[in-house]
Amino acid sequence: MKPFIPALVAALITTGGAYAQSINIGPGGVQVDPRSPRERAIDRDIRREERARERERYYRVRDRSDCRTITTVRETPRGEIRRTERVCD
């Protein structure tokens, strides 16, 4: 075990050019993220803005009083199929 540690340290020092900003180990396996922390923050802000836009769109449609729900029932050889649709005029 003792000769293994210096060899490992030497290997890490010599491969200094190839590095990752973050390594995540989780249920999906090992993920290596080469982006810088600044790039990750920019991506996070973009996703946050997209979620805010989606949330705003959802509440705008939900608050409208001229919406109705249409339920269509169709018989097939395998049974009954119900389809519910929300229509806003």
Side-chain angles (χ1 to χ4, degrees):
M1 184 70 178
K2 287 185 181 182
F4 177 71
I5 293 173
L8 181 63
V9 170
L12 289 173
I13 290 172
T14 58
T15 59
Y19 65 93
Q21 293 293 330
S22 69
I23 298 173
N24 301 320
I25 301 171
V30 177
Q31 296 175 344
V32 177
D33 192 3
R35 299 177 299 166
S36 69
R38 181 176 180 273
E39 291 171 338
R40 284 197 299 274
I42 290 170
D43 289 344
R44 194 171 37 247
D45 289 341
I46 290 171
R47 286 193 307 271
R48 188 177 297 131
E49 289 172 4
E50 289 173 356
R51 283 194 306 269
R53 246 182 272 122
E54 289 172 3
R55 198 174 315 125
E56 178 184 334
R57 190 178 320 124
Y58 170 76
Y59 285 118
R60 189 174 41 230
V61 169
R62 187 172 152 228
D63 291 341
R64 295 175 77 183
S65 61
D66 54 351
C67 294
R68 62 186 188 278
T69 304
I70 299 174
T71 303
T72 310
V73 180
R74 197 173 69 189
E75 290 289 332
T76 63
R78 293 185 175 181
E80 191 177 86
I81 297 177
R82 290 180 180 263
R83 181 176 177 187
T84 305
E85 210 176 332
R86 185 173 172 93
V87 178
C88 296
D89 297 325

XYZ file of all heavy atoms in Angstrom:
721
model
N 0.812 -1.188 0.000
C 0.000 0.000 0.000
C 0.860 1.258 0.000
O 0.500 2.233 -0.614
C -0.916 -0.044 1.228
C -1.889 1.089 1.307
S -3.110 0.891 0.033
C -4.143 2.266 0.353
N 2.008 1.214 0.707
C 2.857 2.402 0.785
C 3.421 2.816 -0.573
O 3.467 4.002 -0.869
C 3.984 2.176 1.792
C 3.485 2.205 3.220
C 4.637 2.101 4.187
C 4.098 2.120 5.611
N 5.179 2.061 6.591
N 3.868 1.879 -1.448
C 4.374 2.331 -2.752
C 3.251 2.839 -3.668
O 3.498 3.576 -4.612
C 5.039 1.100 -3.351
C 4.882 -0.012 -2.397
C 4.139 0.478 -1.217
N 2.033 2.452 -3.393
C 0.916 2.849 -4.235
C 0.603 4.342 -4.087
O 0.300 5.021 -5.071
C -0.322 2.016 -3.873
C -1.549 2.389 -4.640
C -1.658 2.101 -5.990
C -2.597 3.063 -4.020
C -2.779 2.449 -6.700
C -3.719 3.423 -4.719
C -3.824 3.106 -6.068
N 0.689 4.875 -2.893
C 0.330 6.272 -2.641
C 1.269 7.238 -3.371
O 0.800 8.155 -4.040
C 0.273 6.549 -1.125
C -0.892 5.759 -0.524
C 0.117 8.037 -0.849
C -0.973 5.807 0.970
N 2.596 7.078 -3.313
C 3.458 7.994 -4.085
C 3.226 7.885 -5.595
O 3.279 8.892 -6.299
C 4.879 7.558 -3.719
C 4.747 6.868 -2.412
C 3.401 6.241 -2.412
N 2.941 6.684 -6.073
C 2.668 6.533 -7.506
C 1.379 7.271 -7.873
O 1.290 7.895 -8.941
C 2.566 5.055 -7.859
N 0.386 7.198 -7.018
C -0.872 7.888 -7.270
C -0.663 9.404 -7.265
O -1.180 10.114 -8.129
C -1.904 7.486 -6.215
C -3.288 8.104 -6.350
C -3.939 7.658 -7.655
C -4.143 7.716 -5.167
N 0.102 9.911 -6.310
C 0.380 11.347 -6.228
C 1.154 11.793 -7.467
O 0.859 12.844 -8.051
C 1.147 11.671 -4.930
C 1.651 13.104 -4.936
C 0.272 11.414 -3.718
N 2.136 11.016 -7.899
C 2.911 11.362 -9.090
C 2.018 11.386 -10.329
O 2.142 12.274 -11.184
C 4.047 10.363 -9.276
N 1.100 10.440 -10.441
C 0.181 10.411 -11.584
C -0.730 11.626 -11.579
O -1.013 12.210 -12.631
C -0.638 9.125 -11.554
N -1.191 12.038 -10.419
C -2.062 13.212 -10.347
C -1.316 14.493 -10.702
O -1.862 15.400 -11.330
C -2.665 13.325 -8.943
C -3.719 12.278 -8.582
C -4.105 12.406 -7.117
C -4.933 12.408 -9.469
N -0.063 14.589 -10.310
C 0.731 15.782 -10.599
C 1.048 15.876 -12.091
O 0.972 16.949 -12.684
C 2.016 15.801 -9.750
C 1.651 16.045 -8.286
C 2.980 16.867 -10.234
C 2.814 15.892 -7.339
N 1.378 14.768 -12.709
C 1.751 14.796 -14.127
C 0.554 15.022 -15.038
O 0.717 15.486 -16.162
C 2.461 13.490 -14.535
O 1.587 12.390 -14.273
C 3.760 13.327 -13.804
N -0.641 14.689 -14.592
C -1.833 14.893 -15.434
C -2.558 16.165 -15.016
O -3.776 16.228 -15.034
C -2.789 13.691 -15.320
O -3.175 13.554 -13.958
C -2.162 12.438 -15.832
N -1.813 17.200 -14.693
C -2.412 18.458 -14.245
C -3.151 19.194 -15.341
O -4.031 19.996 -15.067
N -2.842 18.950 -16.609
C -3.509 19.636 -17.714
C -4.928 19.151 -17.926
O -5.790 19.901 -18.370
N -5.189 17.916 -17.642
C -6.533 17.367 -17.834
C -7.219 17.299 -16.479
O -6.887 16.468 -15.654
C -6.437 15.980 -18.453
N -8.149 18.196 -16.262
C -8.841 18.207 -14.977
C -10.315 18.527 -15.194
O -10.703 19.071 -16.215
C -8.208 19.207 -14.012
C -8.338 20.635 -14.453
C -9.405 21.406 -14.019
C -7.410 21.216 -15.306
C -9.531 22.712 -14.431
C -7.535 22.513 -15.712
C -8.590 23.270 -15.273
O -8.716 24.552 -15.676
N -11.112 18.208 -14.216
C -12.540 18.508 -14.251
C -12.851 19.512 -13.150
O -12.222 19.515 -12.098
C -13.350 17.240 -14.043
N -13.838 20.359 -13.400
C -14.242 21.325 -12.381
C -15.022 20.648 -11.268
O -14.940 21.045 -10.127
C -15.090 22.426 -13.012
C -14.322 23.298 -13.968
C -13.283 24.132 -13.266
O -13.442 24.496 -12.114
N -12.204 24.433 -13.957
N -15.820 19.626 -11.619
C -16.575 18.913 -10.588
C -16.820 17.481 -11.025
O -16.978 17.189 -12.208
C -17.904 19.609 -10.301
O -18.773 19.473 -11.397
N -16.838 16.606 -10.067
C -17.135 15.198 -10.293
C -18.286 14.835 -9.366
O -18.209 15.043 -8.157
C -15.913 14.311 -9.999
C -14.777 14.667 -10.942
C -16.288 12.839 -10.148
C -13.487 13.967 -10.631
N -19.390 14.342 -9.938
C -20.568 13.979 -9.167
C -20.778 12.477 -9.241
O -20.759 11.898 -10.320
C -21.810 14.689 -9.707
C -21.669 16.184 -9.663
O -21.134 16.718 -8.701
N -22.137 16.859 -10.694
N -20.978 11.858 -8.106
C -21.250 10.431 -8.047
C -22.656 10.271 -7.494
O -22.952 10.732 -6.391
C -20.234 9.702 -7.150
C -18.822 9.919 -7.687
C -20.563 8.223 -7.076
C -17.739 9.432 -6.780
N -23.521 9.636 -8.281
C -24.908 9.500 -7.857
C -25.551 8.261 -8.434
O -24.862 7.377 -8.965
N -26.886 8.199 -8.360
C -27.600 7.024 -8.845
C -27.413 6.783 -10.340
O -27.473 5.663 -10.811
C -29.061 7.317 -8.539
C -29.095 8.515 -7.702
C -27.775 9.169 -7.760
N -27.179 7.841 -11.108
C -26.982 7.701 -12.545
C -25.563 7.326 -12.919
O -25.240 7.177 -14.096
N -24.693 7.201 -11.955
C -23.290 6.886 -12.225
C -22.401 8.085 -11.940
O -22.784 9.019 -11.248
N -21.219 8.049 -12.502
C -20.247 9.126 -12.290
C -20.402 10.145 -13.408
O -20.444 9.790 -14.580
C -18.808 8.565 -12.281
C -17.801 9.688 -12.127
C -18.650 7.545 -11.190
N -20.489 11.435 -13.045
C -20.600 12.509 -14.022
C -19.432 13.464 -13.838
O -19.104 13.846 -12.718
C -21.895 13.285 -13.831
C -23.142 12.475 -14.059
C -24.388 13.273 -13.728
O -24.337 14.297 -13.068
N -25.514 12.787 -14.199
N -18.795 13.834 -14.925
C -17.685 14.782 -14.894
C -18.149 16.039 -15.598
O -18.611 15.996 -16.735
C -16.441 14.203 -15.595
C -15.320 15.223 -15.615
C -16.006 12.923 -14.922
N -18.068 17.173 -14.912
C -18.522 18.446 -15.459
C -17.316 19.355 -15.678
O -16.755 19.871 -14.724
C -19.522 19.085 -14.491
C -20.251 20.254 -15.106
O -20.026 20.530 -16.300
O -21.044 20.883 -14.388
N -16.894 19.574 -16.927
C -15.710 20.389 -17.186
C -15.978 21.897 -17.167
O -15.061 22.681 -17.329
C -15.275 19.938 -18.579
C -16.547 19.523 -19.230
C -17.391 18.934 -18.140
N -17.235 22.314 -16.969
C -17.545 23.750 -16.982
C -17.010 24.435 -15.733
O -16.866 23.824 -14.685
C -19.060 23.968 -17.049
C -19.683 23.391 -18.292
C -21.166 23.560 -18.272
N -21.703 22.852 -17.107
C -22.925 23.011 -16.649
N -23.738 23.844 -17.219
N -23.343 22.336 -15.595
N -16.759 25.721 -15.874
C -16.294 26.503 -14.730
C -17.489 26.842 -13.841
O -18.643 26.771 -14.281
C -15.619 27.787 -15.214
O -16.583 28.642 -15.781
N -17.241 27.235 -12.603
C -18.355 27.634 -11.729
C -19.173 28.795 -12.305
O -20.381 28.852 -12.138
C -17.661 28.057 -10.438
C -16.389 27.291 -10.432
C -15.979 27.179 -11.874
N -18.528 29.690 -13.036
C -19.245 30.810 -13.656
C -20.212 30.310 -14.723
O -21.353 30.769 -14.803
C -18.236 31.780 -14.266
C -18.868 32.985 -14.903
C -17.800 33.963 -15.405
N -18.387 35.113 -16.007
C -18.739 35.195 -17.276
N -18.521 34.180 -18.084
N -19.280 36.293 -17.761
N -19.773 29.372 -15.554
C -20.648 28.821 -16.591
C -21.827 28.076 -15.979
O -22.954 28.167 -16.475
C -19.858 27.891 -17.506
C -18.846 28.604 -18.372
C -17.939 27.640 -19.100
O -17.804 26.479 -18.653
O -17.359 28.042 -20.116
N -21.584 27.344 -14.895
C -22.682 26.639 -14.225
C -23.686 27.631 -13.645
O -24.893 27.423 -13.708
C -22.143 25.724 -13.133
C -21.509 24.466 -13.683
C -21.355 23.407 -12.617
N -20.510 23.808 -11.507
C -19.190 23.690 -11.472
N -18.558 23.160 -12.497
N -18.494 24.076 -10.427
N -23.207 28.748 -13.097
C -24.102 29.766 -12.539
C -24.945 30.405 -13.636
O -26.142 30.662 -13.437
C -23.288 30.833 -11.803
N -24.353 30.650 -14.792
C -25.098 31.222 -15.918
C -26.195 30.259 -16.355
O -27.341 30.668 -16.570
C -24.145 31.566 -17.079
C -23.260 32.753 -16.699
C -24.923 31.864 -18.354
C -22.135 33.018 -17.677
N -25.870 28.972 -16.488
C -26.872 27.982 -16.867
C -27.989 27.899 -15.830
O -29.163 27.777 -16.164
C -26.231 26.607 -17.039
C -25.353 26.526 -18.270
O -25.478 27.409 -19.144
O -24.556 25.581 -18.362
N -27.630 27.982 -14.566
C -28.623 27.927 -13.494
C -29.567 29.129 -13.585
O -30.776 29.000 -13.429
C -27.904 27.889 -12.152
C -28.746 27.500 -10.996
C -27.948 27.255 -9.729
N -26.809 28.141 -9.526
C -25.526 27.773 -9.542
N -25.199 26.506 -9.755
N -24.550 28.633 -9.337
N -29.021 30.331 -13.869
C -29.855 31.531 -14.003
C -30.802 31.408 -15.196
O -31.963 31.819 -15.119
C -28.993 32.779 -14.156
C -28.280 33.152 -12.877
O -28.722 32.676 -11.798
O -27.296 33.899 -12.952
N -30.312 30.850 -16.294
C -31.159 30.672 -17.478
C -32.311 29.735 -17.151
O -33.465 30.016 -17.488
C -30.321 30.138 -18.662
C -29.368 31.226 -19.156
C -31.230 29.660 -19.791
C -28.348 30.741 -20.161
N -32.026 28.627 -16.471
C -33.099 27.693 -16.102
C -34.088 28.344 -15.153
O -35.301 28.134 -15.256
C -32.514 26.432 -15.473
C -31.853 25.507 -16.474
C -31.577 24.155 -15.872
N -30.839 24.200 -14.628
C -29.518 24.185 -14.514
N -28.774 24.134 -15.598
N -28.930 24.220 -13.334
N -33.598 29.160 -14.223
C -34.479 29.842 -13.267
C -35.424 30.794 -14.006
O -36.610 30.865 -13.707
C -33.637 30.599 -12.255
C -34.431 31.182 -11.115
C -33.558 31.865 -10.092
N -32.640 30.925 -9.466
C -31.337 31.116 -9.313
N -30.772 32.218 -9.733
N -30.570 30.204 -8.729
N -34.904 31.533 -15.008
C -35.742 32.443 -15.780
C -36.784 31.675 -16.587
O -37.939 32.112 -16.688
C -34.874 33.276 -16.720
C -34.022 34.297 -16.023
C -33.030 34.962 -16.953
O -33.061 34.672 -18.172
O -32.215 35.756 -16.464
N -36.406 30.520 -17.152
C -37.362 29.715 -17.915
C -38.477 29.207 -17.008
O -39.651 29.232 -17.395
C -36.653 28.543 -18.580
C -35.760 28.952 -19.729
C -34.939 27.804 -20.263
O -34.993 26.692 -19.689
O -34.233 28.013 -21.260
N -38.125 28.751 -15.804
C -39.161 28.282 -14.868
C -40.088 29.411 -14.469
O -41.298 29.219 -14.349
C -38.517 27.670 -13.625
C -37.975 26.284 -13.850
C -37.664 25.609 -12.539
N -36.792 26.368 -11.663
C -35.471 26.277 -11.637
N -34.857 25.440 -12.436
N -34.764 27.009 -10.801
N -39.558 30.622 -14.274
C -40.393 31.766 -13.909
C -41.358 32.096 -15.039
O -42.541 32.389 -14.800
C -39.518 32.975 -13.579
N -40.872 32.032 -16.283
C -41.744 32.291 -17.434
C -42.851 31.253 -17.527
O -44.017 31.586 -17.771
C -40.928 32.277 -18.722
C -40.878 33.628 -19.378
C -40.125 33.630 -20.677
N -38.710 33.867 -20.413
C -37.718 33.054 -20.751
N -37.956 31.964 -21.400
N -36.480 33.346 -20.465
N -42.503 29.967 -17.334
C -43.507 28.908 -17.378
C -44.537 29.084 -16.269
O -45.733 28.916 -16.490
C -42.846 27.540 -17.251
C -42.051 27.130 -18.460
C -41.253 25.865 -18.235
O -41.360 25.266 -17.141
O -40.510 25.480 -19.142
N -44.076 29.429 -15.070
C -44.979 29.636 -13.938
C -45.933 30.795 -14.224
O -47.132 30.709 -13.968
C -44.158 29.914 -12.686
C -44.904 29.736 -11.408
C -44.005 29.893 -10.191
N -42.744 29.171 -10.339
C -41.530 29.705 -10.223
N -41.396 30.961 -9.913
N -40.447 28.991 -10.375
N -45.403 31.879 -14.787
C -46.231 33.039 -15.111
C -47.284 32.671 -16.156
O -48.449 33.039 -16.031
C -45.340 34.162 -15.631
C -46.086 35.410 -16.037
C -45.154 36.440 -16.638
O -43.948 36.415 -16.313
O -45.625 37.255 -17.434
N -46.889 31.918 -17.180
C -47.810 31.484 -18.217
C -48.902 30.592 -17.628
O -50.088 30.732 -17.953
C -47.056 30.734 -19.311
C -47.898 30.462 -20.529
C -47.116 29.760 -21.642
N -45.764 30.259 -21.804
C -44.664 29.505 -21.741
N -44.761 28.216 -21.522
N -43.481 30.017 -21.906
N -48.527 29.695 -16.718
C -49.490 28.791 -16.090
C -50.533 29.574 -15.302
O -51.730 29.341 -15.432
C -48.768 27.803 -15.168
C -49.691 26.993 -14.307
C -50.406 25.930 -14.840
C -49.852 27.299 -12.963
C -51.264 25.181 -14.048
C -50.696 26.562 -12.165
C -51.398 25.505 -12.712
O -52.247 24.776 -11.931
N -50.102 30.529 -14.488
C -51.041 31.297 -13.682
C -51.892 32.220 -14.535
O -53.038 32.477 -14.204
C -50.315 32.080 -12.583
C -49.868 31.190 -11.471
C -48.529 31.041 -11.163
C -50.789 30.455 -10.737
C -48.116 30.200 -10.144
C -50.391 29.610 -9.720
C -49.050 29.498 -9.433
O -48.660 28.657 -8.425
N -51.327 32.736 -15.618
C -52.101 33.602 -16.503
C -53.245 32.808 -17.131
O -54.374 33.290 -17.209
C -51.192 34.184 -17.576
C -51.862 35.256 -18.396
C -50.930 35.952 -19.363
N -50.024 35.025 -20.009
C -48.708 35.195 -20.088
N -48.145 36.231 -19.536
N -47.954 34.319 -20.707
N -52.997 31.571 -17.572
C -54.032 30.736 -18.167
C -55.004 30.266 -17.098
O -56.211 30.225 -17.305
C -53.394 29.524 -18.896
C -54.442 28.509 -19.288
C -52.638 30.000 -20.118
N -54.500 29.944 -15.932
C -55.331 29.408 -14.851
C -56.298 30.452 -14.307
O -57.415 30.136 -13.921
C -54.430 28.902 -13.734
C -55.162 28.194 -12.655
C -54.174 27.564 -11.711
N -54.802 27.490 -10.407
C -54.271 27.856 -9.280
N -53.042 28.304 -9.272
N -54.912 27.762 -8.164
N -55.906 31.722 -14.278
C -56.731 32.768 -13.709
C -57.833 33.256 -14.647
O -58.709 33.996 -14.220
C -55.870 33.955 -13.291
C -54.993 33.614 -12.103
O -55.307 32.632 -11.407
O -54.002 34.320 -11.887
N -57.787 32.850 -15.884
C -58.808 33.305 -16.824
C -60.149 32.671 -16.471
O -60.251 31.497 -16.190
C -58.411 32.950 -18.233
C -57.153 33.685 -18.676
C -56.717 33.248 -20.006
N -57.565 33.869 -21.020
C -57.439 33.624 -22.302
N -56.547 32.769 -22.715
N -58.220 34.218 -23.169
N -61.207 33.473 -16.512
C -62.526 32.961 -16.139
C -63.272 32.372 -17.322
O -64.319 31.753 -17.140
C -63.345 34.081 -15.506
O -63.507 35.129 -16.447
N -62.792 32.557 -18.542
C -63.508 32.057 -19.710
C -62.955 30.709 -20.190
O -62.953 30.408 -21.368
C -63.478 33.084 -20.834
C -62.068 33.523 -21.187
O -61.144 33.155 -20.446
O -61.898 34.227 -22.194
N -62.486 29.880 -19.263
C -61.987 28.548 -19.598
C -63.049 27.503 -19.257
O -63.834 27.676 -18.329
C -60.696 28.234 -18.833
S -59.328 29.285 -19.327
N -63.023 26.420 -19.987
C -63.950 25.329 -19.713
C -63.219 24.004 -19.908
O -62.202 23.935 -20.597
C -65.181 25.402 -20.599
C -64.872 25.275 -22.084
C -66.124 25.513 -22.920
N -65.890 25.211 -24.299
C -65.316 26.008 -25.176
N -64.899 27.189 -24.795
N -65.143 25.647 -26.417
N -63.747 22.967 -19.291
C -63.167 21.636 -19.401
C -64.076 20.778 -20.263
O -65.279 20.679 -19.999
C -63.015 21.009 -18.006
O -62.229 21.884 -17.204
C -62.338 19.661 -18.091
N -63.496 20.162 -21.274
C -64.254 19.285 -22.174
C -63.770 17.864 -21.954
O -62.576 17.579 -22.065
C -64.047 19.694 -23.645
C -64.537 21.116 -23.869
C -64.747 18.718 -24.568
C -64.232 21.651 -25.246
N -64.709 16.972 -21.647
C -64.382 15.556 -21.470
C -64.999 14.781 -22.622
O -66.213 14.831 -22.833
C -64.915 15.029 -20.130
O -64.371 15.827 -19.083
C -64.520 13.580 -19.923
N -64.175 14.082 -23.371
C -64.633 13.279 -24.495
C -64.504 11.816 -24.118
O -63.440 11.366 -23.678
C -63.770 13.563 -25.747
O -63.693 14.962 -25.938
C -64.343 12.897 -26.968
N -65.612 11.053 -24.301
C -65.595 9.621 -23.999
C -65.741 8.886 -25.323
O -66.661 9.139 -26.099
C -66.757 9.245 -23.047
C -66.727 7.760 -22.755
C -66.679 10.050 -21.774
N -64.794 7.969 -25.562
C -64.809 7.214 -26.816
C -64.773 5.730 -26.503
O -63.983 5.288 -25.679
C -63.587 7.619 -27.643
C -63.694 7.233 -29.092
C -62.558 7.805 -29.880
N -61.326 7.109 -29.472
C -60.115 7.457 -29.832
N -59.934 8.517 -30.561
N -59.067 6.777 -29.435
N -65.632 4.967 -27.168
C -65.674 3.515 -26.986
C -64.757 2.849 -28.003
O -64.789 3.161 -29.181
C -67.106 2.994 -27.185
C -68.068 3.389 -26.105
C -67.809 2.666 -24.800
O -67.287 1.532 -24.837
O -68.111 3.244 -23.749
N -63.940 1.940 -27.527
C -63.078 1.142 -28.393
C -63.318 -0.325 -28.067
O -63.942 -0.648 -27.055
C -61.589 1.492 -28.162
O -61.247 1.158 -26.829
C -61.320 2.958 -28.412
N -62.831 -1.249 -28.899
C -63.002 -2.672 -28.593
C -62.354 -3.071 -27.265
O -62.790 -4.015 -26.616
C -62.312 -3.375 -29.756
C -62.303 -2.391 -30.868
C -62.263 -1.048 -30.236
N -61.345 -2.349 -26.833
C -60.663 -2.680 -25.577
C -61.289 -2.001 -24.365
O -60.920 -2.274 -23.243
C -59.199 -2.291 -25.658
C -58.450 -3.117 -26.651
C -57.009 -2.774 -26.585
N -56.248 -3.651 -27.464
C -54.974 -3.610 -27.608
N -54.272 -2.740 -26.913
N -54.358 -4.425 -28.428
N -62.182 -1.067 -24.585
C -62.813 -0.397 -23.456
C -63.056 1.066 -23.746
O -63.040 1.518 -24.888
N -63.285 1.812 -22.710
C -63.650 3.212 -22.787
C -62.411 4.089 -22.610
O -61.585 3.854 -21.743
C -64.643 3.476 -21.658
C -65.329 4.782 -21.708
C -66.325 4.885 -20.576
O -65.890 5.283 -19.474
O -67.495 4.566 -20.776
N -62.310 5.111 -23.472
C -61.186 6.047 -23.377
C -61.754 7.418 -23.058
O -62.609 7.931 -23.774
C -60.377 6.109 -24.687
C -59.747 4.759 -24.972
C -59.333 7.207 -24.618
C -59.000 4.704 -26.268
N -61.290 8.012 -21.963
C -61.711 9.358 -21.565
C -60.554 10.323 -21.807
O -59.424 10.056 -21.424
C -62.086 9.408 -20.090
C -63.338 8.692 -19.772
C -63.626 8.807 -18.274
N -64.840 8.111 -17.969
C -66.025 8.689 -17.858
N -66.120 9.986 -18.026
N -67.092 7.983 -17.580
N -60.897 11.434 -22.440
C -59.890 12.467 -22.695
C -60.429 13.789 -22.160
O -61.495 14.239 -22.568
C -59.611 12.571 -24.184
C -58.573 13.592 -24.501
C -58.247 13.593 -25.962
N -57.293 14.637 -26.236
C -56.908 14.983 -27.429
N -57.385 14.352 -28.473
N -56.042 15.937 -27.590
N -59.715 14.388 -21.237
C -60.120 15.651 -20.632
C -59.226 16.753 -21.182
O -58.006 16.633 -21.167
C -60.016 15.584 -19.105
O -60.777 14.484 -18.640
C -60.533 16.850 -18.472
N -59.853 17.828 -21.663
C -59.117 18.904 -22.278
C -59.592 20.234 -21.689
O -60.793 20.433 -21.486
C -59.414 18.883 -23.778
C -58.316 19.370 -24.637
C -58.678 19.220 -26.108
O -59.451 18.338 -26.468
O -58.163 20.021 -26.877
N -58.675 21.126 -21.396
C -59.043 22.445 -20.882
C -58.906 23.435 -22.024
O -57.824 23.600 -22.592
C -58.134 22.830 -19.726
C -58.510 24.119 -19.065
C -57.656 24.318 -17.827
N -57.849 25.620 -17.260
C -58.733 25.870 -16.305
N -59.476 24.899 -15.834
N -58.864 27.073 -15.820
N -60.001 24.124 -22.357
C -60.036 25.042 -23.479
C -60.311 26.436 -22.945
O -61.285 26.651 -22.222
C -61.122 24.633 -24.497
C -61.191 25.615 -25.640
C -60.887 23.227 -24.990
N -59.459 27.373 -23.278
C -59.644 28.768 -22.871
C -59.880 29.604 -24.123
O -59.075 29.602 -25.046
C -58.411 29.280 -22.143
S -58.100 28.422 -20.608
N -61.002 30.296 -24.148
C -61.360 31.135 -25.302
C -60.948 32.565 -25.074
O -60.814 33.056 -24.032
C -62.866 31.071 -25.554
C -63.284 29.644 -25.910
O -62.523 28.950 -26.557
O -64.398 29.273 -25.491
